Amino acid sequence: MSESLSAAGRDWEDVDDISWTLLDLDELVEVYWTVVSPLLEADGLDPQHEKPTHQWLRSHGLRPLLYALREYHDRTFTQFWTETLGLESSTAVYEWATEDEQTLEAVESFLSSRRERKGLAESSVETLRYRLNRYIEAYRAENDTDDLVTPIARESDVPVYKAVDACWAAFDRLHAELDSPQTKRRVHLAVSNWYAHLIRRKWAKVNPADGLDDEFDWSRSDSGENTDTPCLSSAHVKALYSAADDHEERLLVLALCAWGLRPNEVAKLHVDQFVLDVPDDDIPYIDFRQRKNGPGEVSLLYGRAELNRRLAAGADSENWNGYLFPSPHASRRHISRWTVWNRFTDLAERAGLPDEIDGVSPAPKMGRRFWYDAYSASLDVVLGSLDEIAAEQGSSSAEVVLQNYLSDSRTRHLRREYMREQLAAAFENQ
């Protein structure tokens, strides 16, 4: 046995004293049982049946073991654990499409962050893992490498355009392999969020997946263009709003569900469109000079407080361009409608919305349908409240009273009051 190994056996907690690259395979096996095994047991793991993850090994100072196995013995830790140690896991071990150490560390860091900071359920983490792995498989097949981190690393010499080309080539492959536009959007969202996580951690200098949602047409519903859009329920809206982490996410839910806007209208919302200084007996509104069905106004019956907070935060920023959802890219003024789709999809997953609502995957336009449904229900309530008046006046129906005996302003007031109650029931905790 080597001198370094003997030292490790006497003081196994100080793993830095081991000269890992000087050990042969037999010595590495003994190091596993004399050094790694006690550390696993100390963490409540079974060294005979629970294979440590790369993240666990790195966090316990065992990165040199991974390096020695890869560079001096031409094997991964998985191969060492199963073939050299002859161990089998009592639980299923996820097989990533990469054995690159940096890439494994990067994806595990992202999944741990989603689990611990975002509070994602384990089932949601598993779904994210699957989507990332589909991308890694496509990336490896297109670029003949399973190292996804080096091209985008802050210290990398790889030109940015080449890193982007490699990413886009992987999505070209996924676009051809996958049938469902919704699945393609969800894979892109997972990948884009992963790269964004690496940028926030200062591991990466660029998100090569940015802009892909403008390159592909993934907006078509899985069930076809002519499928009627289902409606979100009040419980769905409440879950979305509760899952929102910041002003922008809360405004996104409000714009879609409380204001009934289309995704492209949400993406382009600008402070100049909001008419807030109105008489006391009137309602603030959003002014749309150019809209799908011509110029129009949308009443702000709910969400004024959150809007005011966003406008105040923007006013305090020297760099704010006036858009409620500014683009993170210097070349664009505001986010795209596909970004609205992606953010809504991400929020729907975190909110625990079902995979399908009436057979269709959750989509932003379901928020607009919720608004119309609430509006229709409000009108029904108004008509119901007029039945008694109609009977006393000898009118044939409440509709006659509404059309012939109530002023337009009174009718609008009644509708708005009931509509406001519908929205409050959906957005507020009770």
Side-chain angles (χ1 to χ4, degrees):
M1 185 181 299
S2 70
E3 180 181 350
S4 58
L5 181 57
S6 299
R10 291 194 301 271
D11 185 15
W12 55 265
E13 290 185 351
D14 192 7
V15 297
D16 292 335
D17 288 341
I18 303 174
S19 300
W20 298 94
T21 57
L22 300 180
L23 305 181
D24 61 28
L25 270 180
D26 289 338
E27 290 172 329
L28 286 175
V29 169
E30 190 158 355
V31 166
Y32 177 83
W33 295 117
T34 59
V35 179
V36 181
S37 176
L39 291 175
L40 287 166
E41 291 175 340
D43 282 356
L45 301 174
D46 181 357
Q48 292 274 359
H49 299 100
E50 295 184 74
K51 183 173 76 71
T53 65
H54 281 69
Q55 186 171 352
W56 185 92
L57 292 166
R58 287 188 295 272
S59 67
H60 287 75
L62 293 165
R63 184 192 294 268
L65 168 59
L66 299 174
Y67 175 81
L69 286 170
R70 183 180 70 249
E71 299 297 328
Y72 289 83
H73 302 285
D74 193 28
R75 65 190 59 206
T76 65
F77 182 78
T78 297
Q79 292 171 324
F80 171 74
W81 201 78
T82 56
E83 298 172 10
T84 308
L85 295 176
L87 300 176
E88 292 184 3
S89 176
S90 59
T91 58
V93 178
Y94 192 81
E95 291 295 333
W96 285 101
T98 176
E99 294 181 351
D100 178 69
E101 205 176 303
Q102 290 186 94
T103 304
L104 287 170
E105 181 176 4
V107 292
E108 287 176 0
S109 169
F110 172 66
L111 294 175
S112 295
S113 177
R114 289 280 156 157
R115 181 188 295 108
E116 297 165 8
R117 298 189 179 96
K118 291 285 188 182
L120 285 192
E122 197 58 37
S123 59
S124 298
V125 174
E126 288 295 325
T127 301
L128 274 180
R129 182 181 288 113
Y130 167 77
R131 291 171 184 165
L132 288 173
N133 208 30
R134 283 303 302 263
Y135 170 67
I136 293 172
E137 287 177 345
Y139 189 101
R140 184 183 63 185
E142 286 295 317
N143 300 292
D144 197 28
T145 178
D146 64 349
D147 177 4
L148 280 68
V149 173
T150 296
I152 50 131
R154 287 164 63 87
E155 68 280 3
S156 175
D157 294 331
V158 177
V160 170
Y161 78 89
K162 286 190 176 181
V164 172
D165 286 348
C167 171
W168 286 29
F171 272 99
D172 283 334
R173 188 182 188 90
L174 289 171
H175 184 62
E177 291 178 348
L178 300 175
D179 294 328
S180 166
Q182 181 76 1
T183 300
K184 296 172 187 178
R185 284 198 305 271
R186 287 178 169 177
V187 171
H188 173 255
L189 178 62
V191 171
S192 184
N193 285 341
W194 173 54
Y195 281 124
H197 168 81
L198 298 184
I199 290 174
R200 288 191 296 271
R201 291 292 306 273
K202 310 303 180 186
W203 292 358
K205 62 184 177 182
V206 63
N207 184 339
D210 275 349
L212 269 168
D213 44 6
D214 289 326
E215 294 290 319
F216 292 101
D217 182 13
W218 294 332
S219 61
R220 180 174 54 83
S221 167
D222 293 351
S223 302
E225 290 287 357
N226 297 322
T227 302
D228 290 336
T229 303
C231 176
L232 294 177
S233 67
S234 292
H236 294 151
V237 174
K238 189 187 297 289
L240 287 168
Y241 201 63
S242 298
D245 284 338
D246 53 34
H247 289 320
E248 282 202 7
E249 288 193 342
R250 286 189 287 272
L251 277 175
L252 183 75
V253 182
L254 286 167
L256 292 168
C257 303
W259 306 340
L261 304 184
R262 302 177 180 89
N264 64 314
E265 293 172 340
V266 175
K268 299 176 183 178
L269 279 175
H270 192 276
V271 62
D272 291 343
Q273 293 177 262
F274 291 88
V275 181
L276 307 178
D277 187 12
V278 297
D280 293 339
D281 58 346
D282 210 342
I283 300 293
Y285 60 92
I286 310 173
D287 182 18
F288 288 94
R289 296 173 180 83
Q290 293 182 343
R291 215 174 184 207
K292 184 175 181 180
N293 297 321
E297 299 175 358
V298 173
S299 297
L300 289 172
L301 298 176
Y302 193 84
R304 177 72 183 274
E306 191 64 46
L307 174 64
N308 287 342
R309 281 191 285 269
R310 176 67 183 94
L311 297 180
D316 290 339
S317 174
E318 296 180 358
N319 300 321
W320 189 42
N321 61 6
Y323 287 97
L324 264 63
F325 303 98
S327 172
H329 309 289
S331 59
R332 304 177 191 170
R333 295 173 297 171
H334 55 77
I335 63 175
S336 70
R337 58 176 175 157
W338 306 126
T339 301
V340 174
W341 275 80
N342 286 339
R343 291 184 181 181
F344 178 88
T345 301
D346 183 38
L347 193 56
E349 286 196 8
R350 284 158 39 206
L353 263 61
D355 290 339
E356 291 187 350
I357 299 174
D358 292 338
V360 180
S361 299
K365 55 186 177 180
M366 292 183 182
R368 181 170 170 82
R369 280 299 307 274
F370 165 81
W371 186 93
Y372 272 109
D373 188 69
Y375 184 85
S376 299
S378 300
L379 185 57
D380 290 341
V381 171
V382 171
L383 290 173
S385 67
L386 296 177
D387 282 339
E388 186 176 343
I389 299 175
E392 290 182 358
Q393 294 296 323
S395 299
S396 59
S397 67
E399 285 89 345
V400 173
V401 175
L402 184 66
Q403 293 173 6
N404 298 333
Y405 296 99
L406 290 182
S407 66
D408 290 342
S409 61
R410 178 60 178 165
T411 301
R412 283 196 302 271
H413 174 75
L414 290 173
R415 287 202 311 265
R416 287 169 175 172
E417 286 303 309
Y418 285 117
M419 181 67 171
R420 195 177 280 114
E421 290 178 8
Q422 293 277 324
L423 294 173
F427 280 89
E428 297 175 9
N429 293 322
Q430 297 181 349

